[in-house]
Amino acid sequence: MINQTAEKATPEKTRSCRPVKRNILITSALHYVTNIPRLGTISGCVGSADVYARYCRLRGYIVICICGTDEYRTATETKAKDENCTPQKICDKYHEIHKQVYEWFDISFDKFGRTSTPQHTEICQSIFKKLMENGYFSENTTQQCDKCGKLLNPTELKDPRCKCSAFEISYFLPLLKGKLDEFINDHSVAGSWSLNAIQTTYALVREGLKSHCTTRDLKWGVPVPLENFEDKVFHVWFDAPIGYISITSCYMPDWEKWWKNRENVELYQFMDKDNVPFHTVMFPCMLLGTGENWTLMKSISVTEYMMHETGKFSKSRGIRIFSNDVQETNIPSEVWRYYLLANRPEVVLGYYLIICFLNHDWVRDTFFMWADLQVKLKAELLNNLGNFINRVLSFIAKPQGQGYGSIIPDGSGAESHSLTKILAERIGIYVDQYIEAMEKVKLKQALKIAMSVSSEGNAYLQESKFWRLYKQDQASCSLVIKTSAGLIYLLACLLEPFMPSFSLKVLKQLNLPTENQFSLCDKDVERARKPWEILPAGHKIGTPEPSFKELKDEDVEFFRKKFFGSQAERVAKGEAEAKKMAEILDETKN
């Protein structure tokens, strides 16, 4: 399992798209630049894309993982007016906030870009021109509501009036039904689309596909390259998905080897459920309509909403703990990643018919609850994973006569040790199941399987009664401890996609280099079936230390109060407390 040869996927090494190895192109939905990422963003598209990208790198695939901020929209202009600055400055400010949030969460995008770039304008306009040449646009009149963002076709309205809108002449992109049907039927099966993606897509198809307005009257956006359209820009639904392509072009000059290479590149896309129509219908139609060999989505992973325990996340209503708030909790990023990904709001097959019958969003959505975070941290991370690691390494670190003086013992005779053989068989099954789940992008299931390895380790320690063996059967005790130490390394490898900073801490405690250590290539997976061979005898470990810290009841209550109420209420409360403290200090001085 210790990776001696695998190279870390650096920007330079992921440029080449190879026909032999699997080439995996991963995108996470672009987020509105002025919206602070929600916790559901981490559990859903952003965190999930990162987990899958990290897994693919461990498997030795050639990987590019792309995300960024969606910056051309009405809300950006509105926010710029509120803050008395230009839309570009607003985008610069909030893009940096997004970037810092994702860095704190250890998100490993190869490129975190943005749509307000010259490359984005160039590629958007080139796709538009190609669609025009192929006759896929028609001119029509729409009424655009800038406040609600809905497309209002006057001929379809009973009362075509809107106080906040104005008529405009726009080009419509007809949806290519024949080509789209073929794409959906083929890729939804081959790519094992998530059930909610399939449900939403086929519902749209059943309703009948309609043309959609491509341009709108705004100044902030990608200009429409047509005469008499100087004061129009592309609608956000048209330009935003192209951001995946333009961001890739900002990352590497030979981007077309990834985006115009349908035969050799597998495109995996991660998003929340409200983004499904743009990725399974609109974006494919745009690419298919050009007649070029654009890489089309193979697999789509869609999550439901993550709700707060008091309702839907909303800063204005004071229902919130957003991604930029978590740093104030002093709860490590690996704990947040574990909790959010373990609670990834997926739709599982067993509930699918119930969901369709009831048609209730809340049946599918999951909830963030402080008490639940506390319970899972203690039961799953502290008492299961952390307990196993600490028991083994602390015992190894004990001085000779009590332990092994921090040296991995020479354990042999595994083939004749029934308890160890049974353990190895179970671990082999779990690793196979983990690989299968990850390949199908069943991330929540894979994480549960990885944690089962830890449970097996704890049961193995308990059943072996290693503390007795140390005095009664040194050879068997050495085998149990060497095997358990190998399991610790295996756990760090399996959990690296989910909790990368935790895995680095484990390597430090094992006194192993932190660079290029993990691999899940086929030969390394085979090594996992003999955990007593993973770490060499005679290796000196580092200093054991607790992996996780308990979240106390008073902490939970403190955080619940701290992150309750609107931002304005919290600011006022903070100012009042500061004023009171200043008055106390003045009285003390006097």
Side-chain angles (χ1 to χ4, degrees):
M1 287 301 297
I2 296 181
N3 179 22
Q4 303 291 346
T5 59
E7 295 180 311
K8 188 178 181 181
T10 62
E12 292 74 24
K13 291 168 185 170
T14 56
R15 289 175 189 264
S16 299
C17 181
R18 305 177 189 176
V20 179
K21 285 190 174 183
R22 287 182 67 186
N23 301 295
I24 310 293
L25 177 57
I26 300 170
T27 70
S28 172
L30 308 186
H31 293 279
Y32 304 159
V33 70
T34 55
N35 284 7
I36 303 299
R38 295 173 287 107
L39 287 184
T41 302
I42 305 300
S43 66
C45 45
V46 171
S48 299
D50 180 59
V51 169
Y52 191 66
R54 287 177 179 274
Y55 163 76
C56 289
R57 294 181 191 122
L58 292 180
R59 288 287 286 164
Y61 306 151
I62 309 302
V63 182
I64 296 177
C65 187
I66 298 295
C67 189
T69 44
D70 172 12
E71 302 186 354
Y72 286 140
R73 47 183 52 250
T74 308
T76 307
E77 285 191 346
T78 303
K79 192 71 173 177
K81 290 177 182 177
D82 292 342
E83 298 193 17
N84 195 27
C85 64
T86 65
Q88 187 63 62
K89 286 188 176 180
I90 280 292
C91 291
D92 294 344
K93 171 185 174 181
Y94 282 93
H95 175 81
E96 189 60 30
I97 292 174
H98 281 257
K99 188 177 179 181
Q100 290 174 2
V101 165
Y102 300 144
E103 286 175 352
W104 189 85
F105 275 100
D106 292 321
I107 305 297
S108 62
F109 295 129
D110 290 291
K111 178 65 176 179
F112 182 71
R114 53 201 308 187
T115 56
S116 60
T117 63
Q119 293 91 332
H120 184 68
T121 296
E122 180 183 350
I123 295 175
C124 279
Q125 291 180 342
S126 67
I127 290 177
F128 174 76
K129 289 175 182 177
K130 197 68 180 177
L131 290 167
M132 286 284 291
E133 291 173 11
N134 293 344
Y136 284 117
F137 278 108
S138 60
E139 192 172 333
N140 207 334
T141 303
T142 62
Q143 189 177 28
Q144 172 68 49
C145 177
D146 287 333
K147 288 188 177 179
C148 65
K150 293 183 179 179
L151 295 177
L152 309 173
N153 241 335
T155 56
E156 298 177 359
L157 298 176
K158 294 181 180 179
D159 186 14
R161 290 178 294 176
C162 181
K163 293 181 181 179
C164 57
S165 61
F167 285 103
E168 62 177 34
I169 304 297
S170 301
Y171 278 86
F172 279 68
L173 170 65
L175 300 177
L176 300 80
K177 190 175 188 308
K179 292 184 178 180
L180 180 66
D181 286 343
E182 183 180 350
F183 162 75
I184 293 172
N185 292 335
D186 290 346
H187 287 68
S188 62
V189 176
S192 300
W193 289 10
S194 57
L195 291 171
N196 43 7
I198 294 173
Q199 179 190 13
T200 302
T201 301
Y202 279 102
L204 286 170
V205 173
R206 284 195 302 270
E207 290 174 4
L209 301 174
K210 300 178 182 179
S211 298
H212 285 268
C213 178
T214 314
T215 66
R216 61 185 308 188
D217 289 331
L218 278 178
K219 294 180 180 179
W220 180 245
V222 176
V224 179
L226 292 175
E227 290 186 13
N228 302 321
F229 274 68
E230 291 78 9
D231 56 350
K232 289 185 184 294
V233 297
F234 288 119
H235 206 287
V236 66
W237 72 259
F238 183 85
D239 100 88
I242 298 174
Y244 300 128
I245 304 171
S246 67
I247 291 170
T248 309
S249 75
C250 293
Y251 173 60
M252 57 175 63
D254 55 348
W255 61 271
E256 289 189 350
K257 291 182 179 179
W258 285 88
W259 277 104
K260 291 187 177 181
N261 194 352
R262 196 177 301 174
E263 296 76 23
N264 294 314
V265 176
E266 302 171 52
L267 175 58
Y268 286 73
Q269 300 196 281
F270 293 80
M271 66 205 66
D272 294 329
K273 61 182 177 182
D274 55 349
N275 277 316
V276 171
F278 303 103
H279 291 78
T280 62
V281 177
M282 315 291 253
F283 191 36
C285 279
M286 291 158 53
L287 299 181
L288 288 166
T290 65
E292 297 176 328
N293 192 38
W294 287 103
T295 300
L296 298 175
M297 176 181 64
K298 175 184 177 179
S299 180
I300 180 172
S301 179
V302 180
T303 53
E304 303 297 322
Y305 296 136
M306 174 169 276
M307 312 288 279
H308 191 271
E309 57 190 12
T310 55
K312 191 171 183 179
F313 281 86
S314 170
K315 283 194 172 182
S316 61
R317 292 166 50 213
I319 300 173
R320 47 102 58 183
I321 170 171
F322 282 71
S323 297
N324 62 332
D325 296 321
V326 297
Q327 298 172 52
E328 299 179 32
T329 65
N330 292 321
I331 300 172
S333 63
E334 61 261 33
V335 174
W336 281 107
R337 280 183 63 118
Y338 175 81
Y339 176 78
L340 294 172
L341 292 164
N343 286 276
R344 188 173 185 260
E346 300 172 350
V347 174
V348 295
L349 186 60
Y351 295 114
Y352 182 59
L353 293 176
I354 299 175
I355 291 166
C356 293
F357 178 75
L358 296 177
N359 197 28
H360 286 317
D361 284 341
W362 62 264
V363 176
R364 294 172 281 186
D365 298 331
T366 60
F367 287 82
F368 167 77
M369 293 181 285
W370 285 107
D372 188 45
L373 172 63
Q374 179 190 29
V375 169
K376 283 185 167 58
L377 169 56
K378 183 176 182 179
E380 298 170 16
L381 294 181
L382 191 60
N383 293 348
N384 179 7
L385 181 62
N387 178 63
F388 173 65
I389 294 171
N390 195 254
R391 285 182 80 186
V392 175
L393 296 187
S394 294
F395 189 73
I396 295 174
K398 288 181 178 181
Q400 291 291 346
Q402 301 176 39
Y404 293 93
S406 296
I407 304 297
I408 300 290
D410 185 6
S412 58
E415 290 76 11
S416 59
H417 193 267
S418 60
L419 189 62
T420 301
K421 282 183 65 177
I422 292 171
L423 171 75
E425 290 171 2
R426 289 176 178 171
I427 296 303
I429 293 171
Y430 280 131
V431 171
D432 288 341
Q433 291 175 342
Y434 173 91
I435 297 290
E436 181 182 3
M438 290 296 279
E439 289 292 339
K440 294 180 179 179
V441 201
K442 296 181 178 180
L443 309 184
K444 188 174 180 178
Q445 179 181 337
L447 178 55
K448 185 176 181 180
I449 292 168
M451 293 298 288
S452 296
V453 172
S454 177
S455 299
E456 289 288 344
N458 275 313
Y460 175 66
L461 287 179
Q462 205 63 25
E463 193 170 350
S464 70
K465 295 181 173 59
F466 66 94
W467 58 92
R468 291 184 184 174
L469 288 179
Y470 186 77
K471 297 178 179 179
Q472 300 172 0
D473 187 350
Q474 277 276 338
S476 294
C477 185
S478 295
L479 173 62
V480 169
I481 293 302
K482 192 170 188 287
T483 301
S484 299
L487 279 188
I488 290 174
Y489 178 87
L490 175 60
L491 277 166
C493 183
L494 297 177
L495 291 170
E496 193 277 340
F498 299 92
M499 298 189 290
S501 57
F502 158 78
S503 295
L504 290 177
K505 290 177 182 177
V506 172
L507 287 181
K508 183 179 178 182
Q509 293 185 58
L510 289 172
N511 192 28
L512 293 171
T514 57
E515 290 296 319
N516 307 328
Q517 270 299 318
F518 298 121
S519 170
L520 282 174
C521 295
D522 290 342
K523 62 179 181 180
D524 296 307
V525 171
E526 285 304 309
R527 290 179 194 172
R529 304 182 195 285
K530 295 182 178 181
W532 55 86
E533 294 183 358
I534 292 177
L535 293 177
H539 173 75
K540 186 175 183 178
I541 68 169
T543 304
E545 56 185 35
S547 301
F548 304 101
K549 182 181 178 182
E550 186 178 357
L551 189 61
K552 299 184 181 300
D553 291 341
E554 53 266 32
D555 297 327
V556 170
E557 190 59 30
F558 173 78
F559 292 140
R560 186 179 282 122
K561 289 180 179 178
K562 179 179 176 64
F563 297 105
F564 182 81
S566 68
Q567 285 183 310
E569 289 172 340
R570 281 194 299 278
V571 169
K573 182 180 179 181
E575 290 175 347
E577 290 176 351
K579 183 179 179 181
K580 184 177 181 180
M581 182 60 68
E583 291 173 352
I584 293 173
L585 290 174
D586 286 341
E587 291 176 1
T588 303
K589 290 178 182 178
N590 295 332

